Amino acid sequence: MARRLCTNLKFRRGEINFLLTTNRAIQKLHACFLKTDKPTDVMTFCNGSIDIVISLDQAARQARLRRLRLIDEVTLLICHGLLHAKGFDDHTEKERLAMRQAEFESLARTL
């Protein structure tokens, strides 16, 4: 699924790394890089390669709240992380809506 998302989002061949981790580990990254001392669901780092870090704890919690399977939530977070790598952001309401639209379109083309 990640490979198809990368193709549909027109990523050039290169290195994209995915790390599935815990709330504790992602909270440390979040505090270090974004100065926010709480867990988050996904973080994207672009420095030559693309590194996408996903908290499986957070994904499981969100999946339960949305009544999704864990794999579906993780797929959404992979897409979300890839869109961050493409330059999308989600700090404002307008940005969040654009991100959601791009997620929907990307997942619809991929599935």
Side-chain angles (χ1 to χ4, degrees):
M1 180 62 66
R3 180 171 288 172
R4 287 190 306 208
L5 277 168
C6 290
T7 300
N8 285 335
L9 288 169
K10 298 185 180 6
F11 279 92
R12 291 180 288 136
R13 282 195 161 280
E15 192 168 305
I16 301 176
N17 303 298
F18 297 95
L19 173 65
L20 304 177
T21 191
T22 63
N23 271 352
R24 175 184 263 172
I26 207 165
Q27 181 171 347
K28 288 179 184 176
L29 291 171
H30 207 206
C32 180
F33 290 98
L34 297 175
K35 309 301 182 225
T36 304
D37 192 21
K38 64 179 187 175
T40 188
D41 51 3
V42 61
M43 294 182 71
T44 302
F45 300 93
C46 299
N47 49 358
S49 65
I50 298 170
D51 300 308
I52 298 175
V53 183
I54 295 172
S55 168
L56 284 180
D57 296 332
Q58 202 69 10
R61 186 183 74 74
Q62 291 171 188
R64 280 191 304 276
L65 290 172
R66 297 177 192 185
R67 293 190 168 110
L68 296 173
R69 297 178 306 162
L70 179 58
I71 188 65
D72 296 328
E73 183 67 22
V74 170
T75 300
L76 174 61
L77 293 175
I78 288 169
C79 183
H80 190 88
L82 290 169
L83 288 170
H84 275 305
K86 281 288 188 183
F88 281 81
D89 222 332
D90 53 4
H91 295 292
T92 68
E93 186 63 24
K94 185 176 180 178
E95 290 172 337
R96 278 189 288 281
L97 290 173
M99 175 79 87
R100 287 289 176 242
Q101 180 70 28
E103 287 169 351
F104 177 81
E105 291 170 1
S106 299
L107 290 168
R109 282 193 311 268
T110 302
L111 300 176

